[in-house]
Amino acid sequence: MEKREHFSKLGHVLVAAGSAVGLGNIWKFPTLAGQNGGGIFILFYLFFVLVVGVPLILGESTIGRYAQKGPVDAYHNIAAECGQKGFSLKFWTFLGFTGAFANFIILCYYSVIAGWILQYCIKVLLVPLNEMDMALFGASISSYVTPIVYALVFLAVTIYIDVKGITAGVEKCSKFLMPLLIVLLIVCAVCSLSLPGSIEGVKYMLIPNTNNAVNAGSMGYVALAALGQCFFSLSLGTGQMITLGSYLGKDSKLASQSYGIPAVDTGVALLAGFVTLPAVFAVASVTGIDPTSQTGPGMLMYALPQSLYAAFGSTFGTIIAFLMFLLVCFAALTSTTSMVTVTASYLEEYKHVEHRKATIGIGLGVAVVSVICSLSNTPLLDSITFGGMNIQDSLDWFISNLLMPFGAFFMCVFIGYIWKAQNAIKEITNDGTVKFSWATGFKWIMMVVDPLIILVVFLSGIGILKF
């Protein structure tokens, strides 16, 4: 049997953080913060990262390192060790499969959105910044051919990196891209904060204001939005951390390395907020438009280019805008390479397909579905809807509201009641040789606290609970 590759300590943190850092941080986090009261949303988000994000990342990583397998074999092998048979054993194996499936589906629509960003890297060099508006964005994504070409180019780069393997491909890529991403974010944040009127965006983002939450809907609505973003941003319930944890050596320190993942992820999200929201408010100070009306998904394509033009003029503004879109592409790439790794682990370990063939096969499958997702934004397929959403948005809803909470909920159940929390703690402490100060808290969080929180998210996602 081929020996399993192992990450270096820094490599694991950067790859795992890179898998979490992506469009959810750079695009979705500032959007949701803008739409859900700013400071209040961020306060809720930080709370849920600590209470839900850290324990679930640690739990998934522990399962992966113990089993030294991806999610399908990890759940199957540990469940079998614990005496699970028949339907129960099949269920836990199926739980692992849902993680691989979720990553495949996310890749399909994620590649399309990443293709939009890649397209804008070129567009800012060809179109004057002051002409980049929402009409241009709408035309860009509703074209029949161009978005597909960019999505497939982005996907091809992802597959090329993954074909090289864990250490030579995914880890090497993350070690280069993650530091560069953070540097570019800091540069763009400094530029945004230097804009006239940007301080109002900083206040909106950092100062909790209950009136903003009420305007967004209610405190409960904002809290659920923050919790949902915590799930999406940290890739909880998709088996990513199980897979990445399986490439850790047995002498690694699980707890301390797991803490670095949400820390980097949250830091990048906050930096992205400092890039986007001050720019949105700066544009509002020039145009007189209510800034909260500019916080939709397209604001990255409109508010920032416009504000950079107003502050720095055409030439320097174009350079900063190019760097901004480039860093979003980098963020997306660090996520998609990990998504391919999870799906490939299913084909390699459970179906015994060679790594290169598994990776390329996944790429071809994703390419087909990505084309369908892209065309769902055009007149050709936009009439096909589910609950009022097109194909691409429906897949996003299915993963975010059903599969991710499902995977996270039963992961907690698995650790708390099947494998038993004390066995997970034994793995975390390397058989008692490494200190784990909140072991008792981890046990109760896995068994009671997080399952209840996840259940609330799920029931809210499918419309049963409303706040």
Side-chain angles (χ1 to χ4, degrees), residues 375-392:
L375 291 176
S376 72
N377 297 296
T378 72
L380 183 64
L381 295 181
D382 66 0
S383 61
I384 302 175
T385 60
F386 304 89
M389 297 178 286
N390 66 14
I391 295 171
Q392 180 175 318

Side-chain angles (χ1 to χ4, degrees), residues 2 207 256 294 299 329 407 441 447:
E2 185 179 351
I207 301 175
S256 60
Q294 300 182 42
M299 71 174 178
C329 284
M447 295 178 66

Side-chain angles (χ1 to χ4, degrees), residues 293-309:
S293 70
Q294 300 182 42
T295 55
M299 71 174 178
L300 188 68
M301 313 302 198
Y302 163 66
L304 286 182
Q306 293 277 353
S307 63
L308 291 173
Y309 174 81

Side-chain angles (χ1 to χ4, degrees), residues 411-422:
M411 187 275 287
C412 292
V413 171
F414 184 80
I415 288 180
Y417 301 96
I418 303 300
W419 189 23
K420 305 298 184 184
Q422 59 264 31

Side-chain angles (χ1 to χ4, degrees), residues 97-112 339 343 362 365-366 369-370 373 391-400 403:
F97 170 77
T98 62
F101 178 71
N103 279 275
F104 177 85
I105 297 299
I106 294 171
L107 264 170
C108 295
Y109 62 80
Y110 206 95
S111 297
V112 174
M339 293 177 199
T343 312
I362 290 164
V366 170
V369 184
S370 293
C373 286
I391 295 171
Q392 180 175 318
D393 292 340
S394 296
L395 291 177
D396 184 15
W397 183 91
F398 174 70
I399 296 297
S400 299
L403 273 194

Side-chain angles (χ1 to χ4, degrees), residues 30-366:
T31 297
L32 288 176
Q35 292 174 333
N36 292 280
I40 286 287
F41 172 87
I42 290 174
L43 204 60
F44 278 123
Y45 180 80
L46 294 175
F47 172 77
F48 288 128
V49 166
L50 288 174
V51 175
V52 178
V54 172
L56 293 190
I57 286 175
L58 179 56
E60 287 198 14
S61 300
T62 303
I63 291 172
R65 195 190 72 168
Y66 176 83
Q68 293 288 289
K69 295 288 185 181
V72 179
D73 274 5
Y75 278 119
H76 177 275
N77 294 351
I78 297 175
E81 277 184 27
C82 297
Q84 301 295 299
K85 299 177 182 178
F87 174 79
S88 179
L89 183 60
K90 290 180 179 178
F91 174 81
W92 295 115
T93 306
F94 171 75
L95 180 63
F97 170 77
T98 62
F101 178 71
N103 279 275
F104 177 85
I105 297 299
I106 294 171
L107 264 170
C108 295
Y109 62 80
Y110 206 95
S111 297
V112 174
I113 300 172
W116 297 347
I117 308 297
L118 183 59
Q119 182 180 354
Y120 261 67
C121 281
I122 308 300
K123 199 173 285 292
V124 293
L125 301 177
L126 303 176
V127 179
L129 293 184
N130 60 330
E131 295 180 14
M132 300 184 78
D133 54 21
M134 287 303 297
L136 180 67
F137 174 63
S140 298
I141 69 173
S142 61
S143 169
Y144 288 104
V145 178
T146 305
I148 292 175
V149 171
Y150 279 101
L152 295 181
V153 168
F154 180 86
L155 178 60
V157 174
T158 299
I159 297 302
Y160 173 77
I161 293 170
D162 274 275
V163 162
K164 290 179 173 293
I166 283 294
T167 54
V170 178
E171 180 175 350
K172 189 174 181 180
C173 171
S174 292
K175 281 184 173 179
F176 171 72
L177 289 183
M178 284 301 294
L180 183 58
L181 168 66
I182 292 171
V183 170
L184 288 176
L185 267 175
I186 292 172
V187 170
C188 290
V190 170
C191 290
S192 287
L193 292 171
S194 68
L195 298 173
S198 63
I199 189 63
E200 295 304 317
V202 175
K203 291 178 181 177
Y204 183 80
M205 181 175 165
L206 294 184
I207 301 175
N209 187 320
T210 54
N211 290 332
N212 291 339
V214 171
N215 292 336
S218 67
M219 292 289 281
Y221 179 86
V222 171
L224 287 174
L227 183 53
Q229 172 61 12
C230 176
F231 265 86
F232 184 86
S233 179
L234 293 173
S235 305
L236 302 176
T238 63
Q240 282 194 29
M241 297 304 161
I242 293 178
T243 303
L244 299 179
S246 74
Y247 292 100
L248 282 173
K250 286 292 187 177
D251 60 345
S252 57
K253 295 182 179 180
L254 270 170
S256 60
Q257 289 185 226
S258 295
Y259 300 154
I261 299 165
V264 173
D265 180 81
T266 303
V268 169
L270 292 173
L271 269 176
F274 281 118
V275 171
T276 307
L277 289 175
V280 169
F281 277 77
V283 166
S285 69
V286 174
T287 63
I289 301 173
D290 178 7
T292 59
S293 70
Q294 300 182 42
T295 55
M299 71 174 178
L300 188 68
M301 313 302 198
Y302 163 66
L304 286 182
Q306 293 277 353
S307 63
L308 291 173
Y309 174 81
F312 304 112
S314 178
T315 302
F316 190 59
T318 296
I319 293 172
I320 298 299
F322 172 78
L323 291 175
M324 176 192 67
F325 288 114
L326 187 64
L327 74 86
V328 180
C329 284
F330 287 168
L333 191 60
T334 59
S335 293
T336 53
T337 51
S338 294
M339 293 177 199
V340 173
T341 299
V342 178
T343 312
S345 73
Y346 166 71
L347 295 178
E348 292 173 53
E349 298 167 4
Y350 206 67
K351 296 297 182 180
H352 308 293
V353 179
E354 187 266 331
H355 172 75
R356 181 183 177 87
K357 291 181 179 178
T359 304
I360 293 174
I362 290 164
L364 293 174
V366 170

